[in-house]
Amino acid sequence: MRKRMSGRRYNIGGDGTVKQKKRWYDFLWIFSLTYLILGFFNILFAWLGLLCFFIPIIISVAKGNKAYCNKYCGRGQLFALVGGKIGLSRKKDVPKWMKSKYFRYGFLIFFFAMFFIMLWNTYLVFAGTRELSQTVKLLWAFKLPWHWAYHGTLFSPGVAQFAFGFYSVMLTSTILGFITMIFFKPRSWCVYCPMGTMTQLICKAKNISASKK
C-alpha cells in the first residue's frame, strides 16, 4: 500500500510499518563510490568530479536553496550509509568549535587556497615549465605514487595534471569525511564541507537580494 505524506511517497508494509519510498537521487552514493574507484584505475576519470563542484553552485544560484546538500550529495549519502546503516560511526554530536562560522569559513578559505595552488601547478604543466607529477597529494601534505592510473592522453599533460590534483582534493575531503564520520555523527562532514559553506553563502546573498526587490 502506498501513501503520500508531506509531498513524499511511503510504502506501508504488511506489519503496519511505514517506509519512505526510495527516489532515484537516494542512490547517488553509488556515483561517489564509483568515482573513487575509477580514479584508482584511470586518473582522467577525476574530471567527473567537477559535477560535484558546479552542480551545487548552479542549484544555489538558480533556486536559492541547498537542495544539492539535502538531496543530491552522493558523498553525504555514502557517509550516512557507512556510518549509519553499517554502524561505523560513534554517532556523537559534533563539537561546537567545528560548527562555528570561524572554523567553517576558515576551512573554506584554506580549502580554496589549496585548490588554487593546484590550478597553478596545472597551469605550469600546460605552459611546459613543469613536468607532469603522477602523484596524488593526500591531506595536502603526503605525496602518494599514482602512476599506474595514468595511461597517457591525446591532450596536453596539463589535462592529466589537473586530474591528479582534483582527485587529490576529492580523496582528501572524502578521508576527512570518513574520519569525522567515525568519531561523530555519520554526516559530520556536511557541517564544515567547503561546498556546503559556499552554497550557504550564495543562498543568503540571493535571499537578501530578493528581499530588497
Side-chain angles (χ1 to χ4, degrees):
M1 178 179 178
R2 293 180 181 177
K3 188 175 182 180
R4 181 179 291 272
M5 300 170 58
S6 301
R8 302 281 296 191
R9 290 190 176 183
Y10 295 81
N11 292 331
I12 300 179
D15 57 356
T17 58
V18 179
K19 297 181 180 180
Q20 183 175 305
K21 183 183 178 183
K22 292 290 186 180
R23 303 291 185 92
W24 63 268
Y25 50 76
D26 292 322
F27 300 96
L28 288 174
W29 63 269
I30 298 175
F31 172 81
S32 293
L33 182 61
T34 302
Y35 173 82
L36 294 174
I37 295 173
L38 289 176
F40 186 86
F41 292 102
N42 191 322
I43 197 62
L44 295 182
F45 280 110
W47 278 84
L48 292 175
L50 288 175
L51 293 173
C52 301
F53 188 88
F54 288 111
I55 292 178
I57 296 176
I58 293 172
I59 291 177
S60 60
V61 170
K63 301 292 185 179
N65 60 42
K66 296 185 65 177
Y68 181 86
C69 296
N70 298 329
K71 291 183 178 181
Y72 309 118
C73 180
R75 181 181 298 177
Q77 292 176 9
L78 183 61
F79 294 148
L81 176 65
V82 177
K85 291 185 177 180
I86 298 179
L88 295 185
S89 171
R90 295 176 65 213
K91 300 180 181 178
K92 301 292 184 179
D93 288 334
V94 175
K96 290 184 178 179
W97 60 265
M98 193 176 290
K99 298 179 182 179
S100 70
K101 64 180 180 180
Y102 301 104
F103 177 78
R104 291 185 294 109
Y105 294 161
F107 188 71
L108 174 66
I109 294 171
F110 171 78
F111 190 89
F112 275 96
M114 296 297 101
F115 183 78
F116 286 117
I117 290 175
M118 181 268 289
L119 290 180
W120 174 250
N121 291 332
T122 299
Y123 164 76
L124 293 178
V125 175
F126 268 111
T129 58
R130 181 172 179 170
E131 294 291 330
L132 171 65
S133 176
Q134 298 182 40
T135 59
V136 165
K137 200 169 185 180
L138 194 60
L139 299 174
W140 300 288
F142 307 102
K143 288 187 176 182
L144 304 179
W146 217 262
H147 54 275
W148 64 81
Y150 180 59
H151 310 288
T153 174
L154 298 176
F155 307 101
S156 166
V159 173
Q161 186 62 62
F162 178 86
F164 277 110
F166 199 79
Y167 189 78
S168 299
V169 170
M170 296 294 281
L171 185 60
T172 290
S173 56
T174 300
I175 289 175
L176 288 176
F178 270 112
I179 291 174
T180 50
M181 176 207 74
I182 292 171
F183 287 102
F184 308 113
K185 291 183 177 179
R187 294 191 63 159
S188 296
W189 164 255
C190 302
V191 173
Y192 64 99
C193 170
M195 291 305 302
T197 302
M198 184 171 66
T199 53
Q200 184 180 48
L201 291 173
I202 293 173
C203 291
K204 285 183 178 180
K206 185 175 177 65
N207 292 331
I208 290 174
S209 176
S211 65
K212 291 181 179 180
K213 292 181 179 180

